[in-house]
Amino acid sequence: MQTQALFCHGEKDLRLGMTALDAPTDNQIDVRVERGGICGSDLHYYAHGGFGVIRIQQPMILGHETAGIIEAVGKNVTKAKVGDRIALNPSLHCGKCSYCEAGLHHHCADMRFYGSAMRNPHIHGAFRDRIIIEQQQAEIIPAHVSPEEAALCEPLAVCLHAVTRAGSLFGKKVLITGCGPIGALTLLAARYAGASHITVLDIAEKARKTALDLGADEALDSRGDLSVYKQNKGFFDVCFEASGNNQAFLTAIELLKPQSTIVQLGLGGEFTFPVNALVAKELAWRGTFRFDSEFALAAKLVSKQVLNLKPLISDVLPLKDYQKAFDLALDKGKSMKVQLAFS
Amino acid sequence: MQTQALFCHGEKDLRLGMTALDAPTDNQIDVRVERGGICGSDLHYYAHGGFGVIRIQQPMILGHETAGIIEAVGKNVTKAKVGDRIALNPSLHCGKCSYCEAGLHHHCADMRFYGSAMRNPHIHGAFRDRIIIEQQQAEIIPAHVSPEEAALCEPLAVCLHAVTRAGSLFGKKVLITGCGPIGALTLLAARYAGASHITVLDIAEKARKTALDLGADEALDSRGDLSVYKQNKGFFDVCFEASGNNQAFLTAIELLKPQSTIVQLGLGGEFTFPVNALVAKELAWRGTFRFDSEFALAAKLVSKQVLNLKPLISDVLPLKDYQKAFDLALDKGKSMKVQLAFS
Amino acid sequence: MQTQALFCHGEKDLRLGMTALDAPTDNQIDVRVERGGICGSDLHYYAHGGFGVIRIQQPMILGHETAGIIEAVGKNVTKAKVGDRIALNPSLHCGKCSYCEAGLHHHCADMRFYGSAMRNPHIHGAFRDRIIIEQQQAEIIPAHVSPEEAALCEPLAVCLHAVTRAGSLFGKKVLITGCGPIGALTLLAARYAGASHITVLDIAEKARKTALDLGADEALDSRGDLSVYKQNKGFFDVCFEASGNNQAFLTAIELLKPQSTIVQLGLGGEFTFPVNALVAKELAWRGTFRFDSEFALAAKLVSKQVLNLKPLISDVLPLKDYQKAFDLALDKGKSMKVQLAFS
Amino acid sequence: MQTQALFCHGEKDLRLGMTALDAPTDNQIDVRVERGGICGSDLHYYAHGGFGVIRIQQPMILGHETAGIIEAVGKNVTKAKVGDRIALNPSLHCGKCSYCEAGLHHHCADMRFYGSAMRNPHIHGAFRDRIIIEQQQAEIIPAHVSPEEAALCEPLAVCLHAVTRAGSLFGKKVLITGCGPIGALTLLAARYAGASHITVLDIAEKARKTALDLGADEALDSRGDLSVYKQNKGFFDVCFEASGNNQAFLTAIELLKPQSTIVQLGLGGEFTFPVNALVAKELAWRGTFRFDSEFALAAKLVSKQVLNLKPLISDVLPLKDYQKAFDLALDKGKSMKVQLAFS
């Protein structure tokens, strides 16, 4: 059996095609995909044919932010049943390497992550009408929660993991640089984690407006006068750098107090900066990468509908309009999260 | 009364001169300086007339790594008595600002640190025959400990603080990039803190030999083949970056395991590096700056003679040979720590 | 000048009396007290004349959960002005001892805490019509926030500190044993800090109902069947023990996962328990005492009205009915937080 | 094939017997046991037929502190070869439960630990002439290290884990209550981890002498005058409670500073103590249980011979004198660690 899928063949070369759909084995689940969000890495493959030193070597199915309905289950599947709505965890760790053994599954030495060209042959993604997944990849979402919200579990998990990496945010003053989908979800996650003051910096007015809608205490243009936050060596306790922009980073370190933490979410090529600033303020700059147990937490929060996710979903387009959807997602002034609607 | 002191008047312009020596007030101590180590920042003032954006604006007495003998004490001084050998803590915090209030004295908003041109007028240093200090700056060192070792308390405190910033080193595999005086003292401090394996990287053979003498498990040329440490995503748990060299940093991040910590000791202008490396390995890069309570700990460890400090002191020259001493200290291939002998 | 105050003369012996009211000095503030909550320690003095080995030695004014309006300010006061509503921080640290120096102000060796018989002579409390305080004790609360809510800042600060002591609660499963005023405020604080699941245990139906009103995921009778939470070595990540009851503690340790944390808020004489349980599960049992910077955070959260505090205030009685108010506060089946209304 | 083993049949009932010795399967190793230390739990089975609620239900081979020489290996064994000396890790986790998945292997829900009656049927121990183990249980020890030292890996691992549980000891003042074998090994481990001052409390003169031989800064009789350590709210930063004695614990909490940590190693039935003491000083009392990755670290430190272990081994008796060995081990005034010498 075959199912339709969205392939990236290289820079600016997206094509619909068919891919095999086998029956689920004993521990597998057959899912009819409902919605799939376009992520920044999908956009990189589309716009540049890769990122950093990584290039697409063969046609690869994109997509790792998906939700769907279960069509069939293997005989050992107990976690979910036919008809359930689920969010799909796109990461599959090996369970045997030294990192898995230590409980650091997202650093698995043999990680298989949907829609990633880091390995060769690449690992195909989930932008398809139907997909077979492993039982442990499914997180049940109640039927009354929309598939659009369900498909936000994956980027939300990324941001929940970033919050975990920051240490406790309880009562802290938080700065977020960049308010695209990741910055915006981090804002919701930081608020949930007890941040008492959240300031967002972005050059785009639309992004600042979304930040305020989502509950930021303030949203400022990063090119404006920020001198009040530089007084007495800085104001913020924690920064989430979600822009991947070198200048945003340089601005942030001036606004941070000594011994504060910067969690780096944004990927942005090379950064250049004065090491003395890191040293003299004793800043801690931490990378954050994907997620581990936070996917289950994301599914829990989405299921309880305790986060105000809907303002984030700016556009939902049918799969056949994939070209328009990707171009829209690339235009940060016009869109926030763009999702594809499948079969 | 007047005492002799070593002033820096600008780039490559050191001169002996006289400075006032008042009687100690009630909480002060009059110290006859015995030894003073030449620090990297002293060398920056000498070689370049400053560092980063900071320039010497007026003649400034250098030096903040000193030890001496008490000549007289004010009437409220109970901590030490005439004739005691002491190490001089060169930092004076205000005790009133928000950072002092929070216990972060080394980030004091009104810090007065010996031999620093960060403030204007500059804060004079301790390269003088006699000096008046506050009672709380004195840490007693037993008479049987040499003044050379006593004068190492300050750089040792810097390295103890760096170790504190790294979190527990107990049973950890530690990489040290750069083995000048700071790298070497960090090696001793890391060993004391329970590191189970310490590898030192340096391009200078003399530095590598010193590292082995001080107890490193191995000392390698950073330009050699380090591929064995890159396998399985990296080998080391913690890195102390003590070179201030961009390339050393780039090498280090390849040798570190996911979620490991880099403590940045070295000051080195601007660094350029791929943010993706920080993100994908979830590295934590932390600055470390001077010291706080670690000065007292340094004095305690020096007093108990539990660290093998002597191999670090490569040269002791009389004050009158200050020119030769500074040039020697600049030549990393010929010297480790160079100290001046006062009156 | 004199002002009316509520004294405890010993067990079951409360009396109104007069106490001096001087003019504020330069850094002081004269406050007209509006509301004052009756705390567990006030109740101990009333019901037993003290607690543990501490006895009331001389008549002492009770009260440390108060809010009021500024009547006059000293000439150096810049933090607040006449007419402002404030919450009163009842703790005054010395700023000089080793604990203050280290930033641990609530462990000050010379702490003066309102309404406490721990020192002799005792430190009088704030149950009076007018009181002179130091400038730093005042936290401004906006006029649109009720004085009843403002007077909850102090017990809220206690619970915010307890949450701080627990480490990050983000995404954690939390158990709270005992849902009196402190358990209830801890529930609000834990929710604010990102706990994803909160279970409350209490034997009183009224307390369980309040817990559900305040947003607990569930509220259970601690005498019921809790076996589901004992499976697989336990269910909860963190427990706040707010009952001071030995049996509640013994129940809790069966429901907690290995390496979980118990924060002990409740004071309860002696506890007896099997050390093996602490060891085999590697539990961490941490005391929490009063608060430090959390008082300012409490004032901030009360000012922003982000916590649902009103269900906690069960009764407000005029000062003249102090006897009735204290008896009501003692009856946990009938009251939650009881406050006195002053002049 | 059969091999000789030491069984406990119940209280005061030890007997030599025979047990099966199969050939090693592909991942197994056949070991000729050289030395086996008698542990506190072995003594509990001998002296009381169990501990707490656990009783011996059927004859069980004792022993989990062993070292030996490899006699044969299965065909997949790459970690070690015939003739190697190894320390035997007595813990076997399942690798599949939620605790193993999270990297908390020592809390495995299906743990098989040598010589333990916690499960029924019991898990037999390693006091036998020959034993078949899994490959991952073997840690190679160089031939020049004595088998007596090698057999200390297991109790050392327990103490290294206790130190890990304490957080960083670097520059800390440490109190150890009880200086039997576990207290003594904790002393060595705490020193290795950078404790700057270690005080040992024990009522036995022999234990205090051993503590001083092993490098304690001081060793005091816990019944003596300790008032100097109670001043200013306490002196020590961390306590390792290795006595399991309620009174020792009560003494310790008076000597500890606010916010200090007590790591509980000693098992001792029920403790009774005033909860107020835990609360008012904000102490953190943490259990520590067995070990995880610390067994490999113990083997590394034993192999490098960086710890002074030999003073700890008070007696080595041939297996046939097991009765005498156990009685000697029970007599804390006469022995420290007693080991059995096997075939």
Side-chain angles (χ1 to χ4, degrees), chain D residues 33 159 309:
Chain D
V33 178
C159 300
L309 296 169

Side-chain angles (χ1 to χ4, degrees), chain C residues 98-99 104 106-107 161 165 232-233 258-259 269-273 275-276 279-280 282-283 285-289, chain D residues 98-99 104 106-107 161 165 232-233 258-259 269-273 275 279-280 282-283 285-289:
Chain C
S98 61
Y99 296 104
L104 291 172
H106 64 303
H107 290 295
H161 184 64
R165 292 283 296 159
N232 194 27
K233 299 197 179 191
Q259 294 201 345
E270 296 199 317
F271 272 22
T272 297
F273 75 102
V275 170
N276 295 9
V279 168
E282 297 196 315
L283 302 178
W285 191 9
R286 297 172 158 256
T288 184
F289 185 60
Chain D
S98 61
Y99 296 104
L104 290 173
H106 62 306
H107 291 293
H161 184 64
R165 293 280 299 157
N232 194 29
K233 300 197 178 192
Q259 295 200 344
E270 295 199 318
F271 272 22
T272 297
F273 75 101
V275 170
V279 168
E282 296 196 314
L283 302 178
W285 191 10
R286 297 170 158 256
T288 184
F289 185 61

Side-chain angles (χ1 to χ4, degrees), chain A residues 235-292:
Chain A
F235 178 81
F236 296 99
D237 302 301
V238 176
C239 170
F240 293 93
E241 206 301 282
S243 74
N245 180 286
N246 198 156
Q247 184 54 50
F249 177 78
L250 293 174
T251 299
I253 59 181
E254 290 190 89
L255 312 185
L256 287 163
K257 288 198 296 195
Q259 294 200 346
S260 53
T261 296
I262 308 161
V263 176
Q264 184 69 35
L265 277 149
L267 295 172
E270 294 199 319
F271 273 21
T272 297
F273 76 101
V275 170
N276 295 9
L278 190 87
V279 169
K281 276 196 180 176
E282 298 196 314
L283 301 178
W285 192 8
R286 297 170 157 256
T288 184
F289 185 60
R290 295 178 181 162
F291 48 82
D292 186 3

